[in-house]
mmCIF file of all heavy atoms in Angstrom:
data_model
loop_
_atom_site.group_PDB
_atom_site.id
_atom_site.type_symbol
_atom_site.label_atom_id
_atom_site.label_comp_id
_atom_site.label_asym_id
_atom_site.label_seq_id
_atom_site.Cartn_x
_atom_site.Cartn_y
_atom_site.Cartn_z
ATOM 1 N N MET C 1 8.905 45.342 -10.751
ATOM 2 C CA MET C 1 7.635 45.862 -10.407
ATOM 3 C C MET C 1 6.516 44.732 -10.365
ATOM 4 O O MET C 1 6.712 43.706 -11.080
ATOM 5 C CB MET C 1 7.186 46.931 -11.484
ATOM 6 C CG MET C 1 7.930 48.219 -11.308
ATOM 7 S SD MET C 1 7.186 49.586 -12.304
ATOM 8 C CE MET C 1 7.752 49.093 -13.900
ATOM 9 N N LEU C 2 5.568 44.969 -9.522
ATOM 10 C CA LEU C 2 4.497 43.961 -9.455
ATOM 11 C C LEU C 2 3.713 43.883 -10.634
ATOM 12 O O LEU C 2 3.671 44.786 -11.472
ATOM 13 C CB LEU C 2 3.497 44.399 -8.277
ATOM 14 C CG LEU C 2 4.109 44.552 -6.864
ATOM 15 C CD1 LEU C 2 3.032 45.040 -5.896
ATOM 16 C CD2 LEU C 2 4.734 43.247 -6.378
ATOM 17 N N SER C 3 3.073 42.753 -10.820
ATOM 18 C CA SER C 3 2.207 42.542 -12.036
ATOM 19 C C SER C 3 1.137 43.546 -12.003
ATOM 20 O O SER C 3 0.454 43.765 -11.024
ATOM 21 C CB SER C 3 1.655 41.128 -12.022
ATOM 22 O OG SER C 3 0.652 40.974 -13.070
ATOM 23 N N GLY C 4 0.942 44.260 -13.141
ATOM 24 C CA GLY C 4 -0.098 45.245 -13.239
ATOM 25 C C GLY C 4 0.436 46.666 -12.891
ATOM 26 O O GLY C 4 -0.255 47.708 -13.162
ATOM 27 N N MET C 5 1.630 46.788 -12.318
ATOM 28 C CA MET C 5 2.125 48.053 -11.945
ATOM 29 C C MET C 5 2.394 49.003 -13.082
ATOM 30 O O MET C 5 2.090 50.216 -13.049
ATOM 31 C CB MET C 5 3.355 47.852 -11.030
ATOM 32 C CG MET C 5 3.844 49.157 -10.394
ATOM 33 S SD MET C 5 2.661 49.727 -9.085
ATOM 34 C CE MET C 5 3.559 51.022 -8.252
ATOM 35 N N PRO C 6 3.055 48.488 -14.226
ATOM 36 C CA PRO C 6 3.267 49.462 -15.301
ATOM 37 C C PRO C 6 1.978 50.052 -15.865
ATOM 38 O O PRO C 6 1.951 51.297 -16.153
ATOM 39 C CB PRO C 6 3.950 48.517 -16.402
ATOM 40 C CG PRO C 6 4.597 47.514 -15.571
ATOM 41 C CD PRO C 6 3.659 47.262 -14.385
ATOM 42 N N ARG C 7 0.912 49.276 -15.921
ATOM 43 C CA ARG C 7 -0.350 49.813 -16.443
ATOM 44 C C ARG C 7 -0.846 50.812 -15.438
ATOM 45 O O ARG C 7 -1.384 51.930 -15.854
ATOM 46 C CB ARG C 7 -1.416 48.685 -16.608
ATOM 47 C CG ARG C 7 -2.729 49.237 -17.214
ATOM 48 C CD ARG C 7 -3.780 48.103 -17.234
ATOM 49 N NE ARG C 7 -5.018 48.651 -17.812
ATOM 50 C CZ ARG C 7 -6.161 48.046 -17.708
ATOM 51 N NH1 ARG C 7 -6.238 46.777 -17.085
ATOM 52 N NH2 ARG C 7 -7.286 48.589 -18.207
ATOM 53 N N PHE C 8 -0.815 50.544 -14.173
ATOM 54 C CA PHE C 8 -1.274 51.516 -13.176
ATOM 55 C C PHE C 8 -0.448 52.865 -13.258
ATOM 56 O O PHE C 8 -1.064 53.907 -13.232
ATOM 57 C CB PHE C 8 -1.074 50.924 -11.720
ATOM 58 C CG PHE C 8 -1.150 51.926 -10.723
ATOM 59 C CD1 PHE C 8 -2.308 52.638 -10.456
ATOM 60 C CD2 PHE C 8 -0.003 52.130 -9.871
ATOM 61 C CE1 PHE C 8 -2.329 53.581 -9.404
ATOM 62 C CE2 PHE C 8 -0.078 53.062 -8.845
ATOM 63 C CZ PHE C 8 -1.239 53.839 -8.695
ATOM 64 N N LEU C 9 0.865 52.718 -13.378
ATOM 65 C CA LEU C 9 1.631 54.023 -13.526
ATOM 66 C C LEU C 9 1.288 54.813 -14.726
ATOM 67 O O LEU C 9 1.321 56.023 -14.700
ATOM 68 C CB LEU C 9 3.158 53.590 -13.498
ATOM 69 C CG LEU C 9 3.705 52.953 -12.198
ATOM 70 C CD1 LEU C 9 5.102 52.536 -12.390
ATOM 71 C CD2 LEU C 9 3.576 54.035 -11.064
ATOM 72 N N SER C 10 1.031 54.103 -15.809
ATOM 73 C CA SER C 10 0.562 54.752 -17.054
ATOM 74 C C SER C 10 -0.680 55.571 -16.867
ATOM 75 O O SER C 10 -0.772 56.717 -17.312
ATOM 76 C CB SER C 10 0.411 53.715 -18.156
ATOM 77 O OG SER C 10 0.016 54.350 -19.413
ATOM 78 N N VAL C 11 -1.613 54.945 -16.163
ATOM 79 C CA VAL C 11 -2.869 55.651 -15.971
ATOM 80 C C VAL C 11 -2.718 56.784 -14.878
ATOM 81 O O VAL C 11 -3.178 57.865 -15.086
ATOM 82 C CB VAL C 11 -4.007 54.726 -15.399
ATOM 83 C CG1 VAL C 11 -5.242 55.497 -15.109
ATOM 84 C CG2 VAL C 11 -4.298 53.566 -16.488
ATOM 85 N N GLU C 12 -2.018 56.463 -13.868
ATOM 86 C CA GLU C 12 -1.805 57.509 -12.778
ATOM 87 C C GLU C 12 -1.070 58.681 -13.314
ATOM 88 O O GLU C 12 -1.325 59.859 -12.952
ATOM 89 C CB GLU C 12 -0.988 56.886 -11.659
ATOM 90 C CG GLU C 12 -0.793 57.860 -10.482
ATOM 91 C CD GLU C 12 0.130 57.272 -9.338
ATOM 92 O OE1 GLU C 12 1.291 57.040 -9.610
ATOM 93 O OE2 GLU C 12 -0.401 57.067 -8.235
ATOM 94 N N SER C 13 -0.152 58.524 -14.247
ATOM 95 C CA SER C 13 0.651 59.647 -14.769
ATOM 96 C C SER C 13 -0.237 60.553 -15.618
ATOM 97 O O SER C 13 0.109 61.695 -15.904
ATOM 98 C CB SER C 13 1.822 59.184 -15.541
ATOM 99 O OG SER C 13 1.447 58.519 -16.794
ATOM 100 N N ALA C 14 -1.344 59.977 -16.133
ATOM 101 C CA ALA C 14 -2.154 60.773 -16.961
ATOM 102 C C ALA C 14 -3.414 61.433 -16.215
ATOM 103 O O ALA C 14 -4.103 62.198 -16.724
ATOM 104 C CB ALA C 14 -2.782 59.963 -18.123
ATOM 105 N N ALA C 15 -3.538 61.071 -14.897
ATOM 106 C CA ALA C 15 -4.649 61.540 -14.078
ATOM 107 C C ALA C 15 -4.450 63.009 -13.746
ATOM 108 O O ALA C 15 -3.353 63.540 -13.514
ATOM 109 C CB ALA C 15 -4.676 60.733 -12.809
ATOM 110 N N ARG C 16 -5.559 63.652 -13.699
ATOM 111 C CA ARG C 16 -5.647 65.031 -13.328
ATOM 112 C C ARG C 16 -6.026 65.072 -11.778
ATOM 113 O O ARG C 16 -5.776 66.105 -11.099
ATOM 114 C CB ARG C 16 -6.650 65.830 -14.131
ATOM 115 C CG ARG C 16 -6.134 65.972 -15.566
ATOM 116 C CD ARG C 16 -7.139 66.808 -16.377
ATOM 117 N NE ARG C 16 -6.568 67.060 -17.764
ATOM 118 C CZ ARG C 16 -7.243 67.667 -18.627
ATOM 119 N NH1 ARG C 16 -8.538 68.073 -18.425
ATOM 120 N NH2 ARG C 16 -6.682 67.890 -19.875
ATOM 121 N N GLU C 17 -6.820 64.150 -11.350
ATOM 122 C CA GLU C 17 -7.199 64.083 -9.885
ATOM 123 C C GLU C 17 -7.261 62.621 -9.482
ATOM 124 O O GLU C 17 -7.724 61.800 -10.267
ATOM 125 C CB GLU C 17 -8.565 64.693 -9.697
ATOM 126 C CG GLU C 17 -9.121 64.678 -8.285
ATOM 127 C CD GLU C 17 -10.439 65.312 -8.106
ATOM 128 O OE1 GLU C 17 -10.891 66.034 -9.019
ATOM 129 O OE2 GLU C 17 -11.053 65.123 -7.016
ATOM 130 N N ILE C 18 -6.799 62.421 -8.178
ATOM 131 C CA ILE C 18 -6.890 61.087 -7.689
ATOM 132 C C ILE C 18 -7.520 61.094 -6.277
ATOM 133 O O ILE C 18 -7.287 62.025 -5.463
ATOM 134 C CB ILE C 18 -5.498 60.488 -7.502
ATOM 135 C CG1 ILE C 18 -4.835 60.182 -8.940
ATOM 136 C CG2 ILE C 18 -5.432 59.191 -6.697
ATOM 137 C CD1 ILE C 18 -3.495 59.659 -8.872
ATOM 138 N N ARG C 19 -8.432 60.127 -6.114
ATOM 139 C CA ARG C 19 -9.125 59.986 -4.765
ATOM 140 C C ARG C 19 -8.655 58.704 -4.126
ATOM 141 O O ARG C 19 -8.824 57.713 -4.834
ATOM 142 C CB ARG C 19 -10.681 60.127 -5.014
ATOM 143 C CG ARG C 19 -11.092 61.532 -5.608
ATOM 144 C CD ARG C 19 -12.519 61.501 -5.971
ATOM 145 N NE ARG C 19 -12.789 62.836 -6.612
ATOM 146 C CZ ARG C 19 -13.996 63.168 -7.067
ATOM 147 N NH1 ARG C 19 -15.074 62.369 -6.972
ATOM 148 N NH2 ARG C 19 -14.247 64.360 -7.649
ATOM 149 N N ILE C 20 -8.208 58.754 -2.912
ATOM 150 C CA ILE C 20 -7.558 57.581 -2.345
ATOM 151 C C ILE C 20 -7.992 57.284 -0.915
ATOM 152 O O ILE C 20 -8.350 58.281 -0.162
ATOM 153 C CB ILE C 20 -5.974 57.675 -2.415
ATOM 154 C CG1 ILE C 20 -5.542 59.007 -1.929
ATOM 155 C CG2 ILE C 20 -5.518 57.397 -3.807
ATOM 156 C CD1 ILE C 20 -4.074 59.158 -1.947
ATOM 157 N N PHE C 21 -7.916 56.060 -0.576
ATOM 158 C CA PHE C 21 -8.208 55.660 0.835
ATOM 159 C C PHE C 21 -7.515 54.325 1.068
ATOM 160 O O PHE C 21 -7.366 53.551 0.112
ATOM 161 C CB PHE C 21 -9.734 55.454 1.043
ATOM 162 C CG PHE C 21 -10.080 54.714 2.320
ATOM 163 C CD1 PHE C 21 -10.153 55.351 3.493
ATOM 164 C CD2 PHE C 21 -10.245 53.273 2.293
ATOM 165 C CE1 PHE C 21 -10.384 54.663 4.661
ATOM 166 C CE2 PHE C 21 -10.533 52.602 3.471
ATOM 167 C CZ PHE C 21 -10.622 53.314 4.678
ATOM 168 N N HIS C 22 -7.002 54.136 2.248
ATOM 169 C CA HIS C 22 -6.416 52.865 2.610
ATOM 170 C C HIS C 22 -6.839 52.604 4.038
ATOM 171 O O HIS C 22 -6.764 53.413 4.873
ATOM 172 C CB HIS C 22 -4.897 52.878 2.530
ATOM 173 C CG HIS C 22 -4.207 51.489 2.471
ATOM 174 N ND1 HIS C 22 -4.262 50.675 3.509
ATOM 175 C CD2 HIS C 22 -3.632 50.923 1.407
ATOM 176 C CE1 HIS C 22 -3.720 49.456 3.174
ATOM 177 N NE2 HIS C 22 -3.297 49.634 1.923
ATOM 178 N N PRO C 23 -7.299 51.304 4.299
ATOM 179 C CA PRO C 23 -7.876 50.967 5.623
ATOM 180 C C PRO C 23 -6.792 50.804 6.707
ATOM 181 O O PRO C 23 -7.173 50.760 7.894
ATOM 182 C CB PRO C 23 -8.701 49.690 5.370
ATOM 183 C CG PRO C 23 -7.951 49.111 4.232
ATOM 184 C CD PRO C 23 -7.467 50.213 3.352
ATOM 185 N N THR C 24 -5.555 50.514 6.354
ATOM 186 C CA THR C 24 -4.566 50.147 7.422
ATOM 187 C C THR C 24 -3.365 51.084 7.498
ATOM 188 O O THR C 24 -2.756 51.143 8.572
ATOM 189 C CB THR C 24 -4.098 48.754 7.233
ATOM 190 O OG1 THR C 24 -3.488 48.578 5.875
ATOM 191 C CG2 THR C 24 -5.248 47.721 7.435
ATOM 192 N N ILE C 25 -3.026 51.768 6.446
ATOM 193 C CA ILE C 25 -1.912 52.633 6.456
ATOM 194 C C ILE C 25 -2.147 53.966 5.777
ATOM 195 O O ILE C 25 -3.124 54.063 5.123
ATOM 196 C CB ILE C 25 -0.617 51.995 5.737
ATOM 197 C CG1 ILE C 25 -0.893 51.610 4.307
ATOM 198 C CG2 ILE C 25 -0.168 50.726 6.516
ATOM 199 C CD1 ILE C 25 0.290 51.095 3.526
ATOM 200 N N VAL C 26 -1.144 54.921 5.758
ATOM 201 C CA VAL C 26 -1.323 56.176 5.051
ATOM 202 C C VAL C 26 -1.172 55.772 3.590
ATOM 203 O O VAL C 26 -0.197 55.056 3.233
ATOM 204 C CB VAL C 26 -0.158 57.130 5.469
ATOM 205 C CG1 VAL C 26 -0.106 58.339 4.591
ATOM 206 C CG2 VAL C 26 -0.339 57.565 6.996
ATOM 207 N N PRO C 27 -1.975 56.323 2.682
ATOM 208 C CA PRO C 27 -1.835 56.018 1.263
ATOM 209 C C PRO C 27 -0.453 56.323 0.684
ATOM 210 O O PRO C 27 0.163 57.348 1.143
ATOM 211 C CB PRO C 27 -2.922 56.892 0.662
ATOM 212 C CG PRO C 27 -3.959 57.045 1.708
ATOM 213 C CD PRO C 27 -3.146 57.119 2.988
ATOM 214 N N GLY C 28 -0.052 55.511 -0.223
ATOM 215 C CA GLY C 28 1.287 55.643 -0.823
ATOM 216 C C GLY C 28 1.726 56.980 -1.296
ATOM 217 O O GLY C 28 2.835 57.411 -1.055
ATOM 218 N N LEU C 29 0.771 57.749 -2.069
ATOM 219 C CA LEU C 29 1.115 59.034 -2.532
ATOM 220 C C LEU C 29 1.402 60.074 -1.432
ATOM 221 O O LEU C 29 1.969 61.163 -1.689
ATOM 222 C CB LEU C 29 -0.047 59.484 -3.433
ATOM 223 C CG LEU C 29 -0.020 59.170 -4.931
ATOM 224 C CD1 LEU C 29 -1.181 59.736 -5.617
ATOM 225 C CD2 LEU C 29 1.329 59.666 -5.577
ATOM 226 N N LEU C 30 1.011 59.732 -0.220
ATOM 227 C CA LEU C 30 1.138 60.736 0.889
ATOM 228 C C LEU C 30 2.291 60.330 1.800
ATOM 229 O O LEU C 30 2.515 61.010 2.834
ATOM 230 C CB LEU C 30 -0.131 60.908 1.631
ATOM 231 C CG LEU C 30 -1.354 61.115 0.810
ATOM 232 C CD1 LEU C 30 -2.600 61.197 1.740
ATOM 233 C CD2 LEU C 30 -1.228 62.431 0.100
ATOM 234 N N GLN C 31 2.976 59.226 1.550
ATOM 235 C CA GLN C 31 3.956 58.723 2.572
ATOM 236 C C GLN C 31 5.318 59.363 2.451
ATOM 237 O O GLN C 31 5.770 59.801 1.317
ATOM 238 C CB GLN C 31 4.180 57.185 2.275
ATOM 239 C CG GLN C 31 2.964 56.327 2.504
ATOM 240 C CD GLN C 31 3.215 54.886 2.217
ATOM 241 O OE1 GLN C 31 4.326 54.473 1.811
ATOM 242 N NE2 GLN C 31 2.155 54.050 2.358
ATOM 243 N N THR C 32 5.944 59.545 3.560
ATOM 244 C CA THR C 32 7.360 59.984 3.574
ATOM 245 C C THR C 32 8.259 58.856 3.085
ATOM 246 O O THR C 32 7.829 57.692 3.115
ATOM 247 C CB THR C 32 7.787 60.525 4.968
ATOM 248 O OG1 THR C 32 7.760 59.418 5.839
ATOM 249 C CG2 THR C 32 6.924 61.624 5.488
ATOM 250 N N GLU C 33 9.490 59.159 2.823
ATOM 251 C CA GLU C 33 10.413 58.030 2.422
ATOM 252 C C GLU C 33 10.649 57.120 3.575
ATOM 253 O O GLU C 33 10.698 55.879 3.378
ATOM 254 C CB GLU C 33 11.744 58.658 1.881
ATOM 255 C CG GLU C 33 12.617 57.615 1.425
ATOM 256 C CD GLU C 33 13.842 58.221 0.648
ATOM 257 O OE1 GLU C 33 13.857 59.412 0.458
ATOM 258 O OE2 GLU C 33 14.801 57.487 0.290
ATOM 259 N N ALA C 34 10.824 57.665 4.749
ATOM 260 C CA ALA C 34 11.103 56.817 5.931
ATOM 261 C C ALA C 34 9.876 55.865 6.213
ATOM 262 O O ALA C 34 9.970 54.749 6.595
ATOM 263 C CB ALA C 34 11.419 57.580 7.143
ATOM 264 N N TYR C 35 8.614 56.369 6.139
ATOM 265 C CA TYR C 35 7.442 55.624 6.272
ATOM 266 C C TYR C 35 7.353 54.613 5.276
ATOM 267 O O TYR C 35 7.037 53.359 5.607
ATOM 268 C CB TYR C 35 6.260 56.583 6.304
ATOM 269 C CG TYR C 35 4.889 56.005 6.683
ATOM 270 C CD1 TYR C 35 4.391 56.058 7.935
ATOM 271 C CD2 TYR C 35 4.112 55.281 5.685
ATOM 272 C CE1 TYR C 35 3.105 55.509 8.266
ATOM 273 C CE2 TYR C 35 2.884 54.738 6.012
ATOM 274 C CZ TYR C 35 2.469 54.795 7.305
ATOM 275 O OH TYR C 35 1.208 54.280 7.617
ATOM 276 N N ALA C 36 7.538 54.943 3.977
ATOM 277 C CA ALA C 36 7.424 53.961 2.957
ATOM 278 C C ALA C 36 8.483 52.830 3.151
ATOM 279 O O ALA C 36 8.154 51.679 2.856
ATOM 280 C CB ALA C 36 7.635 54.638 1.546
ATOM 281 N N GLN C 37 9.728 53.205 3.541
ATOM 282 C CA GLN C 37 10.804 52.181 3.784
ATOM 283 C C GLN C 37 10.281 51.264 4.869
ATOM 284 O O GLN C 37 10.486 50.024 4.734
ATOM 285 C CB GLN C 37 11.992 52.917 4.180
ATOM 286 C CG GLN C 37 13.176 51.961 4.415
ATOM 287 C CD GLN C 37 13.793 51.406 3.216
ATOM 288 O OE1 GLN C 37 13.777 52.073 2.131
ATOM 289 N NE2 GLN C 37 14.340 50.161 3.224
ATOM 290 N N ALA C 38 9.768 51.839 5.967
ATOM 291 C CA ALA C 38 9.327 50.963 7.085
ATOM 292 C C ALA C 38 8.139 50.022 6.733
ATOM 293 O O ALA C 38 8.106 48.897 7.209
ATOM 294 C CB ALA C 38 8.857 51.910 8.234
ATOM 295 N N VAL C 39 7.229 50.506 5.788
ATOM 296 C CA VAL C 39 6.131 49.668 5.322
ATOM 297 C C VAL C 39 6.730 48.545 4.654
ATOM 298 O O VAL C 39 6.273 47.246 4.839
ATOM 299 C CB VAL C 39 5.156 50.479 4.485
ATOM 300 C CG1 VAL C 39 4.207 49.517 3.758
ATOM 301 C CG2 VAL C 39 4.359 51.435 5.262
ATOM 302 N N HIS C 40 7.658 48.708 3.676
ATOM 303 C CA HIS C 40 8.183 47.642 2.920
ATOM 304 C C HIS C 40 8.968 46.712 3.751
ATOM 305 O O HIS C 40 8.995 45.494 3.514
ATOM 306 C CB HIS C 40 9.043 48.221 1.747
ATOM 307 C CG HIS C 40 8.298 48.723 0.612
ATOM 308 N ND1 HIS C 40 7.644 49.945 0.597
ATOM 309 C CD2 HIS C 40 8.052 48.207 -0.608
ATOM 310 C CE1 HIS C 40 7.036 50.097 -0.622
ATOM 311 N NE2 HIS C 40 7.247 49.092 -1.370
ATOM 312 N N GLU C 41 9.818 47.192 4.786
ATOM 313 C CA GLU C 41 10.557 46.305 5.601
ATOM 314 C C GLU C 41 9.633 45.440 6.433
ATOM 315 O O GLU C 41 9.966 44.302 6.719
ATOM 316 C CB GLU C 41 11.409 47.132 6.547
ATOM 317 C CG GLU C 41 12.570 47.916 5.790
ATOM 318 C CD GLU C 41 13.622 47.067 5.123
ATOM 319 O OE1 GLU C 41 13.617 45.791 5.523
ATOM 320 O OE2 GLU C 41 14.422 47.460 4.246
ATOM 321 N N LEU C 42 8.473 46.010 6.840
ATOM 322 C CA LEU C 42 7.563 45.175 7.674
ATOM 323 C C LEU C 42 6.971 43.980 6.865
ATOM 324 O O LEU C 42 6.802 42.939 7.356
ATOM 325 C CB LEU C 42 6.341 46.143 8.100
ATOM 326 C CG LEU C 42 5.329 45.575 9.003
ATOM 327 C CD1 LEU C 42 5.831 45.081 10.254
ATOM 328 C CD2 LEU C 42 4.211 46.575 9.190
ATOM 329 N N HIS C 43 6.829 44.215 5.596
ATOM 330 C CA HIS C 43 6.130 43.219 4.676
ATOM 331 C C HIS C 43 7.226 42.349 4.037
ATOM 332 O O HIS C 43 6.854 41.307 3.485
ATOM 333 C CB HIS C 43 5.288 43.852 3.613
ATOM 334 C CG HIS C 43 3.967 44.346 4.134
ATOM 335 N ND1 HIS C 43 2.824 43.678 4.127
ATOM 336 C CD2 HIS C 43 3.707 45.592 4.743
ATOM 337 C CE1 HIS C 43 1.839 44.282 4.615
ATOM 338 N NE2 HIS C 43 2.285 45.541 5.070
ATOM 339 N N LYS C 44 8.446 42.703 4.094
ATOM 340 C CA LYS C 44 9.501 42.016 3.402
ATOM 341 C C LYS C 44 9.613 40.522 3.714
ATOM 342 O O LYS C 44 9.564 39.667 2.822
ATOM 343 C CB LYS C 44 10.824 42.626 3.710
ATOM 344 C CG LYS C 44 12.072 42.066 2.923
ATOM 345 C CD LYS C 44 13.373 42.823 3.207
ATOM 346 C CE LYS C 44 14.528 42.195 2.488
ATOM 347 N NZ LYS C 44 15.786 42.899 2.804
ATOM 348 N N PRO C 45 9.568 40.081 4.985
ATOM 349 C CA PRO C 45 9.616 38.617 5.253
ATOM 350 C C PRO C 45 8.343 37.879 4.911
ATOM 351 O O PRO C 45 8.338 36.724 4.689
ATOM 352 C CB PRO C 45 9.797 38.535 6.792
ATOM 353 C CG PRO C 45 9.338 39.893 7.309
ATOM 354 C CD PRO C 45 9.611 40.851 6.184
ATOM 355 N N ILE C 46 7.227 38.576 4.852
ATOM 356 C CA ILE C 46 5.971 37.964 4.476
ATOM 357 C C ILE C 46 5.846 37.722 3.002
ATOM 358 O O ILE C 46 5.510 36.679 2.508
ATOM 359 C CB ILE C 46 4.743 38.849 4.956
ATOM 360 C CG1 ILE C 46 4.906 39.152 6.473
ATOM 361 C CG2 ILE C 46 3.433 38.123 4.606
ATOM 362 C CD1 ILE C 46 4.888 37.984 7.342
ATOM 363 N N ASP C 47 6.192 38.819 2.228
ATOM 364 C CA ASP C 47 6.142 38.689 0.782
ATOM 365 C C ASP C 47 7.423 38.087 0.130
ATOM 366 O O ASP C 47 7.466 37.962 -1.052
ATOM 367 C CB ASP C 47 5.916 40.112 0.185
ATOM 368 C CG ASP C 47 4.534 40.702 0.634
ATOM 369 O OD1 ASP C 47 3.588 39.901 0.823
ATOM 370 O OD2 ASP C 47 4.455 41.935 0.821
ATOM 371 N N GLU C 48 8.449 37.875 0.957
ATOM 372 C CA GLU C 48 9.688 37.353 0.522
ATOM 373 C C GLU C 48 10.264 38.184 -0.676
ATOM 374 O O GLU C 48 10.742 37.715 -1.609
ATOM 375 C CB GLU C 48 9.532 35.922 0.090
ATOM 376 C CG GLU C 48 9.111 34.964 1.186
ATOM 377 C CD GLU C 48 9.037 33.507 0.806
ATOM 378 O OE1 GLU C 48 8.731 33.265 -0.433
ATOM 379 O OE2 GLU C 48 9.307 32.602 1.627
#
């Protein structure tokens, strides 16, 4: 997991409401598995 991710998951799991926006892609909580896979594959060579 990325640095900071465990803390984020801890907070998110306790949330009752989440408000989200992303300027370039569909926000993660709304992604299908195929879309999420494609996003990660697109960034894989960049982020190594």
Side-chain angles (χ1 to χ4, degrees):
M1 284 192 286
L2 301 179
S3 174
M5 193 66 172
R7 183 186 179 194
F8 164 62
L9 293 173
S10 178
V11 177
E12 185 184 65
S13 69
R16 292 181 174 177
E17 179 180 347
I18 291 180
R19 300 174 182 178
I20 48 178
F21 167 83
H22 200 291
T24 57
I25 60 174
V26 172
L29 271 180
L30 309 178
Q31 294 175 6
T32 63
E33 185 168 353
Y35 186 99
Q37 181 75 33
V39 168
H40 280 79
E41 291 294 344
L42 182 64
H43 286 264
K44 186 178 178 182
I46 306 301
D47 298 326
E48 298 184 328

